Amino acid sequence: MPSANRNYQLIAAEKKAQQWEKIPDQWRIPMENFEGMTYLMDVPLHCGVLSDTEIEITSDYDATALLEKLKARVWSVEQVTVAFCKRAALAQQLTNCLTEIFFDEAIERAKDLDRQFISNLDSKALPPLFGLPISLKDSFDVAGYDTSTGLGCYVDQPAESNSALAALLIDLGAVLYCKTNLPQAIMTGDSHNNVFGRTLNPRNTLLTAGGSTGGEGALIALRGSILGVGTDIAGSIRIPSLCNGIYGFRPSVGLIPHGGVRDLTPPGTDGVRSTAGPMATSARDCSLFLKAILQADTWKYDSTAISLPWQGLPSMRKLRIGVVQNDGIYTPTPPVRRGLQKAVNLLNSTDGVETISIDLPSVLEIYRDLVAYMMLLGNNYYQEQFARTGEPVIPSLKATGLLSVPGTTLEGFFNLNDRRSKAAKAYLKLFCDNQIDAIIMPPSQHTALPLDCWKTATYTSLWNYLDFPAVVIPVDEVADIDHADDLTRAEFGAEDKEMYSLYTGPDQYKRAPVAVQVVGYRHRDEALMRVVEVLDLINHKQSLVKG
Amino acid sequence: MPSANRNYQLIAAEKKAQQWEKIPDQWRIPMENFEGMTYLMDVPLHCGVLSDTEIEITSDYDATALLEKLKARVWSVEQVTVAFCKRAALAQQLTNCLTEIFFDEAIERAKDLDRQFISNLDSKALPPLFGLPISLKDSFDVAGYDTSTGLGCYVDQPAESNSALAALLIDLGAVLYCKTNLPQAIMTGDSHNNVFGRTLNPRNTLLTAGGSTGGEGALIALRGSILGVGTDIAGSIRIPSLCNGIYGFRPSVGLIPHGGVRDLTPPGTDGVRSTAGPMATSARDCSLFLKAILQADTWKYDSTAISLPWQGLPSMRKLRIGVVQNDGIYTPTPPVRRGLQKAVNLLNSTDGVETISIDLPSVLEIYRDLVAYMMLLGNNYYQEQFARTGEPVIPSLKATGLLSVPGTTLEGFFNLNDRRSKAAKAYLKLFCDNQIDAIIMPPSQHTALPLDCWKTATYTSLWNYLDFPAVVIPVDEVADIDHADDLTRAEFGAEDKEMYSLYTGPDQYKRAPVAVQVVGYRHRDEALMRVVEVLDLINHKQSLVKG
């Protein structure tokens, strides 16, 4: 029965019950054993659900390495799929990170792939993503399953066809097995809604898992997935990547097919557009994803795609990187500053890498316009959706203040566009005049915050506004030396001080990941990934040091 | 003195006088000798201004061949530039096709290029467009010259910097030497305005030169240019290409940098966007232009560019071409039908080429929405510009009825976008399901019309609406056998009959070119040019037949 006009609590109860049924008994764990625990990362390894092989499959490889194993037939697609389904089921029980669960169908497809390619022993003749399990944010249509995006009014309305990306990934040989949680209206830093509830951060359940692609963030952190796809209109890939200590890539708009995604905005909305991109456990997996998609002629799948081909650019030998310490609105808190400095120090000690200091102009004006872009028609569209099932506004959405942003007129919209194109021109000039290959900067002024405190996205949304591609790279986690310091450090005004005061670490922020953000030129996404592969030495050098 | 608030007639008189001064005495011709002549194509060859070498340089080559000569130093850049400046001066006197004239500066630049590369004998080390004269539609900013677009209110406000494309072409070694005429408000099929007056069609001055890039059309027809750049938001490259018997290519939006172009629409307007593209005397010159631009990293020049790289796609061996007889709104007149059939017959007799019949859905609904897109904010923007200098609305603009189209709201705009993205999806499916490489169809239901009669653009604007790239290929001209036939042929209603009745040929349409339009997939512009190179056999076979 269609959900519209029924009460959201009833809808949610039914939906959650259906969800629970999708998890086989033998994959269920006694959650009471973990009550009060804030660190859940090790649970999948010790709870007894996964075999040693399944632990190896899901723990020890990134997607690139696993794909090699799959193509070499070290494990069958079925084995790999079952392993990830099980681990995703564990992640779901621990963090509530899933929405639609289709393990059964995934395992059937895995068997089909095994059968179909049983005699094909030339790994180069296999589809590029042969047998690789990939998770999707709930907003991607997958035929036969809801795209409720956590709104009661869209429950029990299964998609009739696959989104362009889902269709493409299937054609490339991937195995889709679940969709993941997100916030009501897809626009907050807490992945929480009235249908599925809240996704927790498995590194520290007192901190947010981030949003809007927070389900992916938690799922990948727990290795219930090693390659997921999110969408990002103001930071929705990068913020949960930061919060969960994984890699997240916001490509230029349209490069990854976005047709068949339910947007937060009313149909036909233009302006700052949402973009689809990968979340992963390594930098090279973000490249793998980009390469597989761009090589697949996206124009065939999606009339809205910007169909750039993969160029096979050479590796970068010399890099010139602009370093941005802050955005002039919010002061990075101690662990964020330390993380950036650590990355910059490692870069400066690397042959062929040069850094220069860059200041970003007009971020405040840009952020004001970005907020206006988010709410072009005002809040009616959202309120009407909520009202259909009587669901309340979630706290984190209230906290953003977005629902009280007034709409604008067509003339106002064109004025926004005009200012935006001028800003894009100025930023392109800034990059070109400084002859930089990329910028490195924080992805936010803070790390993952306590629940429902995430209110701003100036560091990420700037690049949505300008449509520059950006990647989040984890570099560390909050350490004992990251003491909260004096509020006088926050020199950009009252709001800066308010946000800065939220950092009360290190104890309260235990295990919160620290990351950097690397930003490149529009439509030079492949070149950016070449840069990121070099910059990722931050992590490789680090492990050498640790070793 | 800035032109705003002065009377347009004064402004125009001054501007025309300045223009006349830019043509050296010895390049001037006694126009009274040509009074009453409707066919002007041969005048440049016999008027005595051009030397035999200059006639050869300007008459005997397309841009590809001329570039080879330039790189082989058969002629100096200066010789070539002077030849085209002279022939453009003749074209200007005959058809009034130019706006800004900068022959002096072009010749200085030509000398610079000759000097700069004097010792460089390796043609591969020369810039890709070394010494090639290129003309631009008036709407492209060229530093130091007006971008008046034929509006009194913008006269005497020279551009401070080059448009992205002008800058790029200069970096590629091209020589810019003039800008070309267009209609008031850049939105009619007659290139006529209150500053520069009307551009004539040199094949038949009683017929329109087309618009909005009509100045380029006439200039290239007379070989005062062999490679020009126009813009196209509803047919503005293709219509004058059709009217003047040249090749015209409307690329996918953003592939050719469009930053620094004065649009007909208010700043910040989104929706159906204008696109820049080449007009030329051969199909391969359209490829040459596309290749040179795409290889030049457009992302560096223009923050609004869709920066596709050139891929070096192989030639097409097998082609499957959809044939569209009409758009279901307007019935093609006899010469248009004959031209298409001739092209299809030649294709059908070609090895490796297969044709199938295709019907285009929803063209009327699409055209209605396209018209709404053209006038999103209503007519105030235009009326205000006209009022500043008291200039009247030109007859062809009145005839289109565009100025009485009401504006819409932001919600209305998003509804347009929503319908448009659904249509684009349906059309992509139509192309894919039929497994066609391209469509061949008329570029209009009629040929060039008598002055101020061009009112519709359903055949061209469909592809702007959908953002599919499209090329116009000349295939013939009106022949003695193209008799006007019975109005009952026009079966799509009263408006169809009205347009159909305009064809009273063959006599009144003497020398009117006949062309076909070839349409490919969005962002597959390079692939479309590969197709067009094959389809151009229409012309090669023809000349074989003629020979």
Side-chain angles (χ1 to χ4, degrees):
Chain A
M1 147 170 204
S3 60
N5 304 321
R6 295 174 65 212
N7 179 276
Y8 80 94
Q9 283 159 317
L10 238 100
I11 295 166
E14 277 182 22
K15 189 78 187 169
K16 294 297 289 179
Q18 288 163 13
Q19 220 187 12
W20 183 238
E21 288 308 309
K22 299 284 182 73
I23 297 179
D25 281 345
Q26 62 278 26
W27 299 2
R28 295 182 183 176
I29 49 174
M31 279 305 295
E32 58 278 13
N33 294 1
F34 313 114
E35 240 166 58
M37 278 174 58
T38 59
Y39 181 74
L40 305 170
M41 295 291 284
D42 293 337
V43 174
L45 306 179
H46 307 304
C47 66
V49 170
L50 301 174
S51 71
D52 287 348
T53 304
E54 287 165 345
I55 289 177
E56 183 191 343
I57 290 171
T58 54
S59 304
D60 291 0
Y61 307 100
D62 66 357
T64 306
L66 186 68
L67 199 52
E68 277 171 25
K69 299 277 182 196
L70 276 159
K71 290 188 174 178
R73 311 299 172 93
V74 174
W75 302 296
S76 68
V77 178
E78 184 184 357
Q79 268 180 298
V80 169
T81 301
V82 168
F84 277 100
C85 288
K86 287 170 91 166
R87 193 148 177 170
L90 297 174
Q92 164 64 4
Q93 294 170 77
L94 293 166
T95 65
N96 192 38
C97 54
L98 303 186
T99 56
E100 303 299 316
I101 294 172
F102 29 99
F103 299 152
D104 286 353
E105 198 184 330
I107 294 165
E108 281 313 306
R109 168 162 167 79
K111 288 179 186 167
D112 278 349
L113 282 168
D114 282 329
R115 272 192 295 267
Q116 192 183 338
F117 292 98
I118 191 162
S119 58
N120 194 333
L121 295 176
D122 174 11
S123 71
K124 283 185 185 153
L126 292 169
L129 300 179
F130 177 69
L132 190 69
I134 294 184
S135 49
L136 299 175
K137 187 178 188 175
D138 189 72
S139 40
F140 289 88
D141 276 354
V142 173
Y145 301 95
D146 283 353
T147 309
S148 67
T149 63
L151 290 173
C153 63
Y154 295 125
V155 169
D156 290 341
Q157 296 165 42
E160 287 175 11
S161 57
N162 282 320
S163 52
L165 185 68
L168 200 167
L169 291 173
I170 290 168
D171 284 354
L172 293 179
V175 177
L176 308 181
Y177 62 116
C178 60
K179 298 207 295 178
T180 55
N181 206 20
L182 68 192
Q184 184 191 37
I186 326 184
M187 53 176 153
T188 86
D190 287 77
S191 292
H192 176 210
N193 59 64
N194 294 303
V195 176
F196 299 106
R198 182 194 298 277
T199 295
L200 300 179
N201 187 327
R203 292 175 190 273
N204 182 342
T205 56
L206 302 175
L207 301 177
T208 184
S212 68
T213 321
E216 285 297 332
L219 179 66
I220 295 170
L222 281 169
R223 289 188 154 266
S225 170
I226 47 170
L227 187 56
V229 191
T231 61
D232 190 318
I233 196 169
S236 282
I237 285 171
R238 289 162 291 161
I239 291 168
S241 295
L242 159 63
C243 292
N244 291 284
I246 62 175
Y247 293 78
F249 172 28
R250 186 217 92 98
S252 303
V253 163
L255 264 60
I256 309 301
H258 196 273
V261 171
R262 190 188 293 282
D263 265 324
L264 67 106
T265 47
T269 298
D270 210 331
V272 175
R273 282 167 57 192
S274 165
T275 168
M279 297 165 71
T281 67
S282 72
R284 65 179 185 168
D285 284 358
C286 294
S287 297
L288 170 80
F289 180 85
L290 183 70
K291 181 178 178 181
I293 302 292
L294 295 194
Q295 284 186 331
D297 289 339
T298 56
W299 56 273
K300 282 184 194 161
Y301 289 86
D302 187 359
S303 55
T304 71
I306 303 290
S307 196
L308 293 188
W310 181 260
Q311 292 185 265
L313 298 177
S315 293
M316 316 286 279
R317 294 186 172 203
K318 290 209 162 228
L319 287 182
R320 187 171 153 93
I321 305 294
V323 178
V324 172
Q325 296 291 345
N326 63 64
D327 69 356
I329 308 177
Y330 292 109
T331 305
T333 57
V336 179
R337 293 203 302 270
R338 186 177 57 77
L340 179 64
Q341 196 52 53
K342 175 176 163 183
V344 172
N345 290 346
L346 283 163
L347 292 180
N348 283 335
S349 68
T350 304
D351 283 347
V353 181
E354 177 191 4
T355 63
I356 62 160
S357 180
I358 298 274
D359 284 325
L360 300 179
S362 316
V363 183
L364 186 58
E365 292 79 359
I366 286 173
Y367 193 60
R368 282 186 187 138
D369 277 0
L370 188 278
V371 168
Y373 268 120
M374 292 299 104
M375 299 300 291
L376 288 166
L377 292 181
N379 66 15
N380 285 354
Y381 182 73
Y382 308 97
Q383 299 291 15
E384 188 274 326
Q385 289 173 331
F386 304 163
R388 271 190 249 166
T389 63
E391 65 175 85
V393 175
I394 57 166
S396 64
L397 180 52
K398 245 182 227 154
T400 63
L402 280 171
L403 290 182
S404 49
V405 174
T408 185
T409 61
L410 186 55
E411 206 154 5
F413 174 63
F414 290 167
N415 290 337
L416 284 170
N417 289 343
D418 190 33
R419 287 200 293 275
R420 185 184 178 209
S421 72
K422 284 173 183 149
K425 190 173 174 179
Y427 265 80
L428 176 60
K429 190 168 182 316
L430 176 77
F431 273 55
C432 288
D433 286 355
N434 283 290
Q435 298 181 292
I436 52 176
D437 297 293
I439 269 178
I440 190 168
M441 63 183 287
S444 170
Q445 70 271 25
H446 46 61
T447 64
L449 290 176
L451 306 184
D452 300 331
C453 295
W454 200 294
K455 287 201 310 188
T456 72
T458 52
Y459 282 83
T460 45
S461 64
L462 172 65
W463 308 115
N464 299 84
Y465 179 89
L466 298 168
D467 194 18
F468 283 27
V471 179
V472 161
I473 305 177
V475 294
D476 205 340
E477 55 181 46
V478 169
D480 291 343
I481 53 169
D482 295 326
H483 296 290
D485 57 3
D486 198 274
L487 273 188
T488 54
R489 273 305 295 231
E491 53 191 350
F492 303 123
E495 283 188 49
D496 184 22
K497 284 199 189 343
E498 187 197 327
M499 290 309 296
Y500 199 81
S501 71
L502 289 175
Y503 184 70
T504 53
D507 288 356
Q508 208 191 330
Y509 284 78
K510 208 171 157 77
R511 304 264 188 191
V514 174
V516 294
Q517 181 177 211
V518 181
V519 183
Y521 293 81
R522 181 166 184 251
H523 294 172
R524 297 288 291 165
D525 297 59
E526 185 183 337
L528 174 63
M529 289 318 301
R530 290 280 89 81
V531 173
V532 165
E533 281 160 25
V534 178
L535 296 196
D536 203 30
L537 61 86
I538 301 163
N539 285 304
H540 301 143
K541 278 204 178 178
Q542 199 168 310
S543 50
L544 284 181
V545 173
K546 273 184 188 166
Chain B
M1 147 172 204
S3 61
N5 303 321
R6 295 173 66 212
N7 179 275
Y8 80 95
Q9 284 160 316
L10 236 102
I11 295 166
E14 277 182 23
K15 190 77 186 170
K16 293 298 288 181
Q18 289 164 15
Q19 220 188 11
W20 183 238
E21 288 307 311
K22 299 283 181 72
I23 298 181
D25 281 345
Q26 62 278 25
W27 299 2
R28 296 183 183 175
I29 49 174
M31 280 305 295
E32 59 277 12
N33 295 0
F34 315 113
E35 240 167 57
M37 279 174 57
T38 58
Y39 180 73
L40 304 170
M41 295 290 284
D42 294 337
V43 175
L45 306 179
H46 306 305
C47 66
V49 170
L50 301 175
S51 70
D52 287 350
T53 304
E54 286 164 347
I55 288 178
E56 182 191 343
I57 289 171
T58 54
S59 304
D60 292 0
Y61 308 100
D62 66 358
T64 305
L66 186 68
L67 199 51
E68 277 170 26
K69 299 279 181 192
L70 276 160
K71 289 187 175 178
R73 310 300 172 95
V74 173
W75 302 297
S76 68
V77 178
E78 184 185 358
Q79 268 179 300
V80 169
T81 301
V82 168
F84 277 99
C85 288
K86 285 170 91 168
R87 194 150 177 167
L90 298 175
Q92 164 64 5
Q93 293 171 77
L94 293 167
T95 65
N96 193 37
C97 55
L98 304 186
T99 57
E100 303 299 317
I101 293 171
F102 28 99
F103 298 152
D104 287 353
E105 197 184 328
I107 294 166
E108 281 312 307
R109 169 162 165 78
K111 288 179 186 168
D112 277 351
L113 282 169
D114 282 328
R115 272 192 295 268
Q116 193 184 338
F117 292 98
I118 191 162
S119 58
N120 194 330
L121 295 177
D122 174 10
S123 72
K124 284 187 184 149
L126 293 169
L129 300 179
F130 177 69
L132 189 69
I134 294 184
S135 49
L136 298 175
K137 187 179 189 175
D138 189 73
S139 42
F140 288 88
D141 276 352
V142 173
Y145 301 95
D146 283 353
T147 310
S148 67
T149 63
L151 289 174
C153 64
Y154 295 126
V155 170
D156 290 341
Q157 296 164 42
E160 287 175 10
S161 55
N162 282 321
S163 52
L165 184 68
L168 199 167
L169 290 173
I170 291 169
D171 285 354
L172 293 179
V175 176
L176 308 181
Y177 61 116
C178 60
K179 297 208 296 179
T180 56
N181 204 23
L182 67 191
Q184 183 190 39
I186 329 185
M187 52 177 154
T188 86
D190 287 77
S191 292
H192 176 210
N193 60 64
N194 294 302
V195 176
F196 299 106
R198 183 193 297 277
T199 295
L200 300 178
N201 187 328
R203 291 176 191 274
N204 182 342
T205 55
L206 301 175
L207 301 176
T208 183
S212 68
T213 320
E216 285 298 331
L219 178 65
I220 295 171
L222 281 169
R223 289 187 154 265
S225 169
I226 47 172
L227 187 56
V229 191
T231 62
D232 190 319
I233 196 168
S236 282
I237 286 171
R238 289 161 290 161
I239 291 170
S241 295
L242 159 62
C243 292
N244 291 283
I246 62 174
Y247 293 77
F249 172 28
R250 185 218 93 99
S252 302
V253 164
L255 265 60
I256 308 301
H258 196 274
V261 171
R262 190 189 293 282
D263 265 325
L264 68 105
T265 47
T269 299
D270 211 331
V272 176
R273 282 167 56 192
S274 166
T275 167
M279 297 166 71
T281 66
S282 72
R284 65 178 185 169
D285 284 359
C286 294
S287 297
L288 170 81
F289 180 85
L290 184 70
K291 181 178 178 180
I293 302 293
L294 296 194
Q295 283 186 331
D297 288 340
T298 57
W299 55 272
K300 283 184 194 161
Y301 288 86
D302 189 358
S303 55
T304 72
I306 303 292
S307 196
L308 292 188
W310 181 259
Q311 292 184 266
L313 298 177
S315 294
M316 316 285 280
R317 294 186 175 201
K318 291 209 162 231
L319 287 183
R320 188 171 152 93
I321 305 294
V323 177
V324 172
Q325 297 292 345
N326 63 64
D327 69 356
I329 309 177
Y330 293 109
T331 305
T333 56
V336 179
R337 293 202 304 270
R338 186 178 57 78
L340 179 64
Q341 197 51 53
K342 174 176 162 182
V344 171
N345 290 346
L346 284 163
L347 292 179
N348 282 336
S349 67
T350 304
D351 282 349
V353 181
E354 177 190 5
T355 63
I356 63 160
S357 180
I358 297 274
D359 284 324
L360 301 179
S362 316
V363 183
L364 186 58
E365 292 79 358
I366 286 173
Y367 193 60
R368 280 183 189 142
D369 276 0
L370 188 279
V371 168
Y373 268 120
M374 292 299 103
M375 299 299 293
L376 288 166
L377 292 181
N379 66 16
N380 284 354
Y381 181 73
Y382 308 97
Q383 300 291 14
E384 188 274 325
Q385 290 174 331
F386 304 163
R388 270 191 250 167
T389 63
E391 65 176 86
V393 175
I394 57 166
S396 64
L397 180 52
K398 246 182 225 153
T400 62
L402 279 170
L403 290 182
S404 50
V405 173
T408 185
T409 61
L410 186 56
E411 207 153 5
F413 174 62
F414 291 167
N415 290 338
L416 285 169
N417 289 343
D418 191 32
R419 288 200 292 275
R420 184 183 178 209
S421 74
K422 284 173 183 149
K425 192 173 174 180
Y427 265 81
L428 175 60
K429 191 168 182 313
L430 176 77
F431 273 55
C432 288
D433 287 356
N434 283 290
Q435 299 181 290
I436 51 175
D437 297 292
I439 269 180
I440 190 168
M441 65 184 285
S444 171
Q445 69 273 24
H446 46 59
T447 63
L449 290 176
L451 306 184
D452 299 331
C453 295
W454 200 293
K455 288 201 310 189
T456 72
T458 52
Y459 282 82
T460 44
S461 64
L462 172 65
W463 308 114
N464 298 85
Y465 179 90
L466 299 168
D467 195 17
F468 283 27
V471 180
V472 160
I473 304 178
V475 293
D476 206 340
E477 54 182 46
V478 169
D480 290 343
I481 54 168
D482 295 326
H483 297 290
D485 58 2
D486 198 275
L487 274 189
T488 54
R489 273 303 297 228
E491 53 191 351
F492 303 124
E495 283 190 48
D496 184 22
K497 285 200 191 339
E498 186 197 328
M499 291 308 297
Y500 199 82
S501 71
L502 289 175
Y503 183 69
T504 53
D507 288 356
Q508 208 192 333
Y509 284 77
K510 208 171 157 76
R511 306 262 187 194
V514 174
V516 295
Q517 181 177 211
V518 181
V519 183
Y521 293 81
R522 181 168 185 249
H523 294 172
R524 297 288 292 166
D525 297 59
E526 186 184 336
L528 174 62
M529 289 318 301
R530 291 280 89 82
V531 173
V532 165
E533 282 159 25
V534 178
L535 295 196
D536 202 31
L537 60 85
I538 301 163
N539 286 302
H540 301 142
K541 280 204 178 176
Q542 200 167 310
S543 49
L544 285 180
V545 174
K546 274 185 187 165

